[in-house]
Amino acid sequence: MQQQITQARAVLADLKRQIAVARSQVDFVDSASLVEVNEQLILSALQSQTKAEEAESAFGELSKSYGVDILTQLANRVQFHERFAYAIASAQRHGTRVAVLFADVDGFKGINDTLGHRFGDEVLKHTAHCIANSVRDVDFVFRYGGDEFVILITDVAQASDAAQVSRKIAAAVACPFTVNDRTISVSLSIGTCIYPDDGIDAAGLMHCADAAMYEAKRLHARELDL
């Protein structure tokens, strides 16, 4: 599917180049011929554009159905419950702990409102990349929705280990990055809870992590006011 999108876009780009060439040769062809050529090229371009958009839309729907977030390429909610259940079952079997980290981008609505949604998308991709590179291959990272991310840290020996991972993620995300010649840095509020210390099922653990995240956000806001 991705190959079809790429091919359709290549055809569209080629047609646009042909239109530009035809227009540049206006002194060498009669007006009627130029109009006819332009009409044919524009029609072909519109058809190719439609095919590219249809292919991209289909690819997006296919990605969602397989549990992949199209923007960040992280697992999404489709995979969340299955992998959460797997992590808990594995912890029960081996007598280990699982840390649940619930992360939210601070001030994300303001970023979207002032800099635009495309800039906001780049912030989300930056955040996803930093989180994914801050954990191990055996851990799970999800885009839970909007600017929210959930991280499952497996085989946690003690609560302080989860806190250390949380600090590592926050530090990585806070590194300044550049989008369209504009440099920005963002921060995360992260709430942490531990299975089985703080809950024994997904619903209870998520509620606990969500509450901890909002408490972290409240404390962060207070620090900014001081």
Side-chain angles (χ1 to χ4, degrees):
M1 182 65 71
Q2 184 62 56
Q3 184 177 3
Q4 293 175 348
I5 295 173
T6 302
Q7 291 174 345
R9 285 177 172 168
V11 170
L12 177 59
D14 185 61
L15 287 168
K16 288 180 178 178
R17 284 194 296 270
Q18 292 180 48
I19 291 173
V21 170
R23 287 175 175 168
S24 69
Q25 295 176 344
V26 66
D27 293 334
F28 303 100
V29 297
D30 61 86
S31 298
S33 298
L34 182 59
V35 170
E36 182 180 355
V37 169
N38 274 344
E39 287 178 348
Q40 292 175 350
L41 289 173
I42 290 171
L43 178 60
S44 296
L46 289 173
Q47 291 173 340
S48 294
Q49 177 71 42
T50 299
K51 290 180 180 178
E53 290 174 351
E54 290 175 349
E56 189 161 10
S57 176
F59 180 71
E61 291 302 318
L62 184 63
S63 296
K64 289 179 182 178
S65 68
Y66 279 96
V68 178
D69 176 60
I70 192 67
L71 177 65
T72 64
Q73 296 301 300
L74 295 178
N76 63 19
R77 285 200 188 197
V78 173
Q79 293 192 46
F80 172 73
H81 294 289
E82 178 182 345
R83 294 192 180 184
F84 207 145
Y86 172 82
I88 291 177
S90 179
Q92 288 176 333
R93 186 165 56 253
H94 296 100
T96 57
R97 291 182 173 91
V98 176
V100 181
L101 279 57
F102 197 167
D104 179 89
V105 180
D106 295 323
F108 184 70
K109 183 179 184 302
I111 293 172
N112 267 342
D113 290 345
T114 58
L115 300 177
H117 289 280
R118 289 188 178 181
F119 199 99
D121 286 347
E122 294 302 319
V123 169
L124 293 176
K125 288 193 285 187
H126 162 79
T127 302
H129 175 77
C130 291
I131 294 175
N133 284 344
S134 299
V135 300
R136 304 163 301 174
D137 291 339
V138 294
D139 301 322
F140 303 115
V141 182
F142 308 88
R143 184 185 178 193
Y144 195 67
D147 61 321
E148 296 175 337
F149 299 85
V150 175
I151 306 99
L152 302 181
I153 308 298
T154 61
D155 298 325
V156 174
Q158 51 194 0
S160 59
D161 294 339
Q164 183 177 355
V165 174
S166 179
R167 289 192 294 269
K168 180 180 179 181
I169 290 172
V173 172
C175 290
F177 64 103
T178 302
V179 180
N180 296 331
D181 298 326
R182 184 185 184 104
T183 300
I184 186 175
S185 61
V186 296
S187 61
L188 285 181
S189 291
I190 306 176
T192 303
C193 66
I194 306 292
Y195 166 87
D197 306 41
D198 302 312
I200 59 172
D201 58 25
L205 289 165
M206 284 299 297
H207 178 76
C208 174
D210 181 62
M213 183 271 290
Y214 275 103
E215 177 63 15
K217 190 175 288 291
R218 186 183 65 80
L219 293 174
H220 180 68
R222 179 187 294 178
E223 291 172 358
L224 293 178
D225 289 337
L226 295 179

